Each structure stands twice: as structure tokens, then as C-alpha cells.
């Protein structure tokens, strides 16, 4: 890190501090006092800049210290802060995208019959220093740039997006928008967006995605779920906490018969989701990815359309599904509303 020195006639950059232990840092983003590093082999690392305490003392220069990192091996291409300073979006060489979460509080164990569901009081240093993978999704193309913004944002919306990414002032950052967007660009020239949404909106689109997969057959008879599953040559992982915007948008161009079949399947799925949610004791958390998260983030990612993540309630403060049977017109209206976000 360098500091701009304006004390001389010619401004100059003065070396401030360094951080070692990376193989090849290919992408760097900063937000406040946090620095997000994407490495070609060591995945994602979160650093914190600590400014000097007293001028003229041995600690005159600031320091960069490691806060947490992802211990998976990923060949990173781009990184970005997502939703807030505790979630990090990353893309790698095999056309995959993932969201990592920094642990600030202990996860709540899922309550079981005869088992204690009390929280541990503190996290161990090892837990604090490990990023949890919260969402994984296969794009099918190599993403080499990530940037906060929206393709159709009005000036007010753009200011909110910049506030969410740390580019705005403190007052704007204090009230983050319910929906936040990050644009991505790929090596083949395509552009897409990743949009954060609340949990109840995610529940609807996740159920719609499942209904479309059960009714429609993939191109060539291949499974759409398998295509969106993560694979990087070292490990496999199913699509998690994400909804494919490209697939959802296909609903608008289907025939009337297919739409009716999908809506029927959707209503059955939402009814089952509501039944299962009502059976979960209030206050318990859901196991996601590699751990149980108390403030679960939901993501909708896509190759060329839109994508999302939003905060979940932890016990049913919001409805999981609609109070009545949905019609084709209802589903079309909800999809078009989402399309206006990007």
C-alpha cells in the first residue's frame, strides 16, 4: 500500500505497508478499512488496514493484517464486496461464481429432539479466520470484471448502489436499498447482473425455478441443474442459494399449456414450502453450504440476465409463500417486476 505525499513540491507515492503470503494477487478491491484480494491460487483473502496510531512513533506506518480467507483452491479472476462488508463475490477460471461470508457471530445449531440448541458464546480464532461459502453457481463463461451498478439505474438508484459499495457518503450508506446490483462482464463480451433480493422474493423464484425444471426438458435432454452445478477440476458442488434468471425469463416465451403446468407445479411447491416452514421452531437457523448461518443470504445468479441475494428472517417473520393460489398472470407480473431491476 502506498500513501500520497503532498508535502513536497512534486507529489509522490510513499510506501506505507505490505502484506505477504499471496501467490499472484490478480484482483484487489477496497471498502472502508477492508481490502479484498483475489489470488490466482489462494482464492479470496480479506485484509484490514490499520492506520498509524501516533505520528513520529515506531508505528508511524499503517499495517495490513489478514482478517479471514477462503481455504479452497480457486483461480480467481474478479472479486467484489457484495450486499455489505461481510459478503464477498468471487469468480474463477472454470466459469463459476461464489459468495463467501465472514463469520461475526457463532452459528445457531439446528434444534433437534433431545439435543441442546444453545449458542456457543464466542467463535474460535480459526472460525473467525475462515470464510464460509454461502452460494455457488456455474455461469458457463469466465467473468473477468465485477462492478457495482445497474444497466437501467436512474441517478437515485445509482447513488444507492454506490453507497452499498462504499463509493457513496456515510449518510447514503446508512440506508442500503432492499435490492442491490452488481454488473459483471465476461471474456466473450456478455454482460450480466447480480441482484440482491429479500428472502420471500427468493422463495418465490426458487420455487418457480424448481417447477420449470420439473416441467421443461433441458436442451439435448441434459439436466439444467447439472449445468448450473459447480465444477472446477478439483471438486463438485450443486447450485446453492441461487436462482437462474435466464431460466426464469424463459417463462415469458412459453406456450399457454406449459405456463399452466408450471404454475400448477409452482403452487404445489409453495404449499409444501409453507408447510415445512411452519413445522420449524421459531428462532432456529437453516444449514447452508458449509455451516448454519443466522443471517442467511439468498442469491439469484445468471449468465446474462439477473441474479440475487437477500437477508432471511430467522423464524417466519415473513410469509414463505402467497396466501392464495397463483395464476399465470400473477407469475408473469412478478417476473416482469424483477426484469425492471436490471
Amino acid at each position: 500500500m502506498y500513501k500520497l505525499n503532498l508535502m513536497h513540491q512534486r507529489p509522490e507515492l510513499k510506501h506505507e505497508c505490505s502484506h505477504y503470503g499471496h501467490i499472484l494477487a490478480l484482483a484487489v478491491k477496497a471498502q472502508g478499512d477492508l481490502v479484498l484480494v483475489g489470488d490466482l491460487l489462494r482464492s479470496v483473502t480479506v485484509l484490514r488496514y490499520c492506520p498509524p496510531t501516533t505520528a513520529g512513533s515506531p508505528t508511524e506506518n499503517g499495517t495490513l493484517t489478514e482478517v479471514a480467507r477462503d481455504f479452497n483452491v480457486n483461480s480467481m479472476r474478479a472479486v467484489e464486496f457484495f450486499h455489505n462488508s461481510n459478503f464477498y463475490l468471487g469468480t474463477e477460471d472454470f466459469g463459476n461464481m461464489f459468495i463467501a461470508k465472514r463469520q461475526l457471530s457463532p452459528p445457531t445449531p439446528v434444534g433437534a429432539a433431545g439435543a441442546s440448541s444453545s449458542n456457543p458464546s464466542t467463535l474460535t480464532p480459526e472460525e473467525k479466520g475462515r470464510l464460509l461459502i454461502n452460494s455457488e453457481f456455474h455461469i458457463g463463461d469466465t467473468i473477468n470484471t465485477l462492478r457495482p451498478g445497474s444497466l437501467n439505474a436512474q441517478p437515485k438508484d445509482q447513488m444507492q448502489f454506490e453507497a452499498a459499495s462504499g463509493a457513496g457518503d456515510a449518510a447514503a450508506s446508512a440506508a442500503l436499498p432492499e435490492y442491490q446490483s452488481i454488473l459483471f462482464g465476461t471474456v466473450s463480451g456478455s454482460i450480466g447482473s447480480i441482484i440482491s433480493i429479500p428472502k420471500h422474493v427468493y422463495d418465490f423464484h426458487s420455487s418457480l425455478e424448481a417447477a420449470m425444471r420439473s416441467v421443461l426438458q433441458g436442451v439435448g435432454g441434459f439436466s439444467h441443474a447439472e449445468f448450473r452445478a459447480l465444477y472446477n477440476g478439483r471438486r463438485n458442488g450443486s447450485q446453492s442459494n441461487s436462482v437462474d434468471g435466464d431460466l426464469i425469463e424463459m417463462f415469458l416465451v412459453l406456450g399457454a399449456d406449459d405456463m399452466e403446468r408450471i404454475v400448477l407445479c409452482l403452487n404445489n411447491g409453495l404449499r409444501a414450502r409453507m408447510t415445512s416452514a411452519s413445522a420449524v421452531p421459531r428462532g432456529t437457523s437453516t444449514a447452508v453450504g458449509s455451516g448454519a448461518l443466522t443471517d442467511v443470504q439468498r442469491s439469484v445468479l445468471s449468465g446474462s440476465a439477473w441474479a440475487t441475494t437477500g437477508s432471511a428472517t430467522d423464524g417466519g417473520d415473513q410469509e414463505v409463500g402467497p396466501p392464495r393460489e397463483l395464476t399465470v398472470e400473477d407469475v408473469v407480473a412478478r417476473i416482469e417486476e424483477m426484469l425492471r431491476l436490471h
Side-chain angles (χ1 to χ4, degrees):
M1 179 175 290
Y2 289 83
K3 177 171 62 178
L4 181 61
N5 190 349
L6 301 176
M7 300 298 294
H8 303 286
Q9 291 183 347
R10 292 185 57 187
E12 62 177 1
L13 290 174
K14 180 182 177 182
H15 180 263
E16 174 81 5
C17 55
S18 301
H19 186 271
Y20 301 96
H22 308 280
I23 305 300
L24 178 59
L26 197 64
V28 177
K29 292 292 178 71
Q31 185 180 87
D33 61 348
L34 296 179
V35 179
L36 184 62
V37 180
D39 193 271
L40 199 58
L41 287 177
R42 299 196 64 187
S43 193
V44 175
T45 303
V46 182
L47 308 176
R48 172 174 282 115
Y49 170 70
C50 299
T53 55
T54 306
S57 70
T59 59
E60 182 177 356
N61 292 334
T63 58
L64 280 173
T65 58
E66 180 177 311
V67 175
R69 69 183 179 94
D70 175 25
F71 286 85
N72 295 309
V73 178
N74 290 311
S75 300
M76 303 303 300
R77 286 295 176 180
V79 294
E80 185 59 78
F81 291 89
F82 190 49
H83 196 70
N84 57 42
S85 59
N86 300 323
F87 291 85
Y88 316 102
L89 180 63
T91 64
E92 43 91 281
D93 256 352
F94 284 80
N96 301 307
M97 178 184 294
F98 65 89
I99 298 175
K101 177 185 184 294
R102 183 158 59 103
Q103 299 185 84
L104 299 180
S105 60
T108 305
V110 178
S116 172
S117 60
S118 60
N119 263 348
S121 57
T122 58
L123 287 170
T124 65
E126 291 78 10
E127 291 173 325
K128 291 180 180 179
R130 181 183 297 272
L131 294 177
L132 297 180
I133 301 301
N134 191 36
S135 179
E136 294 177 321
F137 188 86
H138 181 69
I139 293 293
D141 201 351
T142 302
I143 296 175
N144 58 2
T145 182
L146 295 167
R147 183 76 177 176
S150 175
L151 293 175
N152 67 346
Q154 299 300 313
K156 179 180 178 181
D157 298 327
Q158 187 60 40
M159 181 184 68
Q160 289 179 318
F161 288 136
E162 291 177 353
S165 65
D169 55 23
S173 300
L176 297 179
E178 188 176 19
Y179 297 89
Q180 299 173 31
S181 175
I182 290 180
L183 298 177
F184 64 81
T186 71
V187 295
S188 64
S190 63
I191 299 175
S193 60
I194 305 139
I195 305 174
S196 66
I197 59 174
K199 180 182 180 297
H200 67 282
V201 179
Y202 166 84
D203 287 339
F204 167 78
H205 287 93
S206 177
S207 297
L208 177 58
E209 180 187 40
M212 293 185 67
R213 285 177 173 175
S214 64
V215 173
L216 303 179
Q217 186 175 9
V219 177
F222 294 101
S223 168
H224 183 270
E226 290 181 4
F227 169 67
R228 290 305 185 189
L230 177 138
Y231 173 75
N232 60 10
R234 290 174 291 272
R235 68 183 184 91
N236 299 324
S238 60
Q239 173 188 344
S240 60
N241 290 336
S242 59
V243 176
D244 185 0
D246 284 340
L247 179 62
I248 298 296
E249 290 181 10
M250 286 179 57
F251 183 87
L252 301 177
V253 298
L254 296 176
D257 291 342
D258 287 336
M259 284 185 174
E260 291 289 351
R261 292 166 58 201
I262 290 172
V263 170
L264 177 61
C265 187
L266 170 64
N267 285 318
N268 293 335
L270 289 175
R271 195 179 302 111
R273 187 187 289 266
M274 292 181 65
T275 302
S276 62
S278 62
V280 177
R282 191 179 186 86
T284 61
S285 61
T286 304
V288 176
S290 56
L293 308 180
T294 56
D295 54 346
V296 180
Q297 293 291 310
R298 302 298 188 186
S299 310
V300 177
L301 310 177
S302 85
S304 60
W306 43 265
T308 70
T309 185
S311 297
T313 61
D314 51 348
D317 292 337
Q318 295 183 8
E319 294 181 2
V320 179
R324 61 178 177 84
E325 293 289 304
L326 291 172
T327 64
V328 171
E329 290 74 18
D330 294 331
V331 175
V332 170
R334 292 198 183 193
I335 296 176
E336 290 178 343
E337 178 183 359
M338 182 62 65
L339 289 178
R340 286 193 292 269
L341 293 177
H342 73 86

